[in-house]
Amino acid sequence: MRQPMFEKIALVGIGLIGSSLAHVIAREGLAGHVAVSTRSPGTLARARELGLGDSWHENAADAVSEADLVIVSVPVGASGPVAEAISPSLKPGAIVTDAGSTKKSVISDMSPHIPDGVHFIPGHPIAGTERSGPDAGFADLFENRWCILIPLPGTDAGALEKLSNFWQACGSNVDTMDPDHHDLVLAIVSHLPHIIAYNIVGTADDLESVTKSEVIKYSASGFRDFTRLAASDPTMWRDVCLSNKDAILEMLARFSEDLSSLQRAIRWGDGEKLFDLFTRTREVRRSIIEAGQETDTPDFGRQAVLHPEHAKD
Ligand code: NAP
């Protein structure tokens, strides 16, 4: 039998990301032992019931003890307190990483609690769905998705290579980035689209001239695609907005300018401008499909395509 990549992996947080990691680690035999910890007894019991991991701990410090790799997958606002709680139990030489969607805030919150001799390498798997909790995970979540690792000044090359190999074994392609750039890029490709979706779905919900039943009934047109994003976990997205405030505000300002320009084109009947923009944006989607990051299906309900078991949701 193949030697596992790590003797012991600790998963702190067992929601969508943590549970998907538990599945893929088990499938690929990447750890001798997987210790799972989460904040609430209910979630921990569910993780155990689902057979996620090999041992279950109410206390995160117990889970990380003797672990060679610790993966923190909690809302970014909770990363600092989690790092503080596990700090005394981290094994010298261990790698600590996270899955948080923002990186500057996570680094400033977690770094002060990481003891000397422990390798802290923040990370962000660019893979997700609008679902959360331990039932949401599946082993293929990271397949052919990017995982961005953030080497810090003085990061040990061997530890970085080991973590890269781990994510590749989970199916990901690995890239490295500095934290500022990560937060800016993610603001446009992920954070802004979610904010726009939350906003448009909220606006439709507030409209008095269109009834709620009409919003639901006719949602097969455009609106439905926004509702998928707008169904994402409120805690996670509250934390993302608060933690990546500067980059998000910068992108929102740019977005508002472009929206005003679009509004002007519609008001003045500038069909050429509209046609040019819509042609350019169509090309962007084509490039994403060519890069293998989306399937060329007219139904954006991608769960139905990738995971038939979720098709009814
Ligand atoms: P999730 O499904 O909502 O699970 C969150 C986990 O964190 C649960 O185990 C939860 O524990 C725990 N948790 C919640 N609040 C906490 C707190 N205040 N202190 C300690 N633990 C807490 O979340 P997820 O989707 O796996 O996201 C985890 C991280 O990955 C987030 O930082 C997110 O930004 C990032 N990420 C998410 C996606 C995505 O699409 N979902 C994609 C890439 C990265 P209990 O249930 O026991 O309370």
Side-chain angles (χ1 to χ4, degrees):
M1 206 175 119
R2 193 161 50 119
Q3 188 74 2
M5 219 175 241
F6 293 94
E7 280 295 310
K8 177 177 174 184
I9 296 180
L11 299 176
V12 181
I14 194 76
L16 170 70
I17 300 294
S19 63
S20 295
L21 282 167
H23 284 296
V24 70
I25 290 167
R27 188 186 69 190
E28 300 299 321
L30 302 178
H33 181 96
V34 175
V36 170
S37 164
T38 189
R39 180 181 57 161
S40 72
T43 306
L44 193 63
R46 185 62 187 146
R48 188 175 195 152
E49 231 168 71
L50 291 167
L52 300 168
D54 306 301
S55 64
W56 301 271
H57 309 263
E58 282 184 22
N59 192 339
D62 293 340
V64 307
S65 158
E66 293 306 315
D68 312 287
L69 174 64
V70 175
I71 310 178
V72 175
S73 314
V74 301
V76 287
S79 356
V82 165
E84 189 176 6
I86 61 176
S87 174
S89 308
L90 291 168
K91 175 171 133 175
I95 298 173
V96 175
T97 188
D98 77 305
S101 304
T102 65
K103 295 279 54 104
K104 276 199 295 182
S105 72
V106 166
I107 292 167
S108 66
D109 291 353
M110 288 185 73
S111 291
H113 303 294
I114 305 295
D116 288 345
V118 170
H119 307 290
F120 176 43
I121 309 174
H124 180 196
I126 313 294
T129 74
E130 65 279 21
R131 299 166 148 244
S132 48
D135 287 273
F138 52 97
D140 284 339
L141 178 66
F142 309 108
E143 195 65 41
N144 199 29
R145 297 285 173 248
W146 285 94
C147 179
I148 300 178
L149 297 181
I150 315 284
L152 300 174
T155 289
D156 179 80
L160 180 62
E161 191 185 351
K162 218 167 171 198
L163 188 60
S164 294
N165 291 342
F166 168 79
W167 277 108
Q168 282 167 11
C170 293
S172 292
N173 307 310
V174 176
D175 224 344
T176 55
M177 238 180 233
D178 73 65
D180 288 281
H181 193 62
H182 168 278
D183 286 3
L184 198 65
V185 171
L186 268 293
I188 189 65
V189 301
S190 170
H191 307 167
L192 212 61
H194 278 83
I195 290 166
I196 292 164
Y198 282 123
N199 191 57
I200 197 169
V201 175
T203 302
D205 192 46
D206 286 342
L207 277 183
E208 281 166 10
S209 52
V210 177
T211 65
K212 286 212 165 73
S213 64
E214 282 174 312
V215 169
I216 307 294
K217 183 171 166 189
Y218 299 119
S219 67
S221 59
F223 185 70
R224 186 190 55 176
D225 299 332
F226 283 107
T227 62
R228 188 183 66 77
L229 289 183
S232 300
D233 189 71
T235 307
M236 167 182 160
W237 284 97
R238 176 203 61 196
D239 283 10
V240 167
C241 289
L242 299 178
S243 304
N244 198 20
K245 182 170 152 184
D246 293 345
I248 289 174
L249 289 178
E250 189 179 326
M251 289 302 167
L252 266 176
R254 177 68 193 262
F255 172 81
S256 303
E257 278 176 31
D258 290 345
L259 189 62
S260 300
S261 156
L262 193 56
Q263 194 176 0
R264 211 164 32 247
I266 295 168
R267 185 183 308 285
W268 296 107
D270 189 348
E272 199 178 334
K273 182 166 182 160
L274 296 175
F275 188 83
D276 286 351
L277 174 65
F278 301 164
T279 305
R280 190 153 57 86
T281 55
R282 195 175 219 192
E283 277 307 311
V284 174
R285 179 163 170 84
R286 195 161 297 155
S287 310
I288 292 170
I289 292 164
E290 277 165 16
Q293 296 300 308
E294 175 60 299
T295 51
D296 190 10
T297 156
D299 184 351
F300 288 3
R302 49 181 60 73
Q303 294 288 10
V305 178
L306 298 175
H307 306 286
E309 73 276 17
H310 296 154
K312 62 184 182 309
D313 299 306

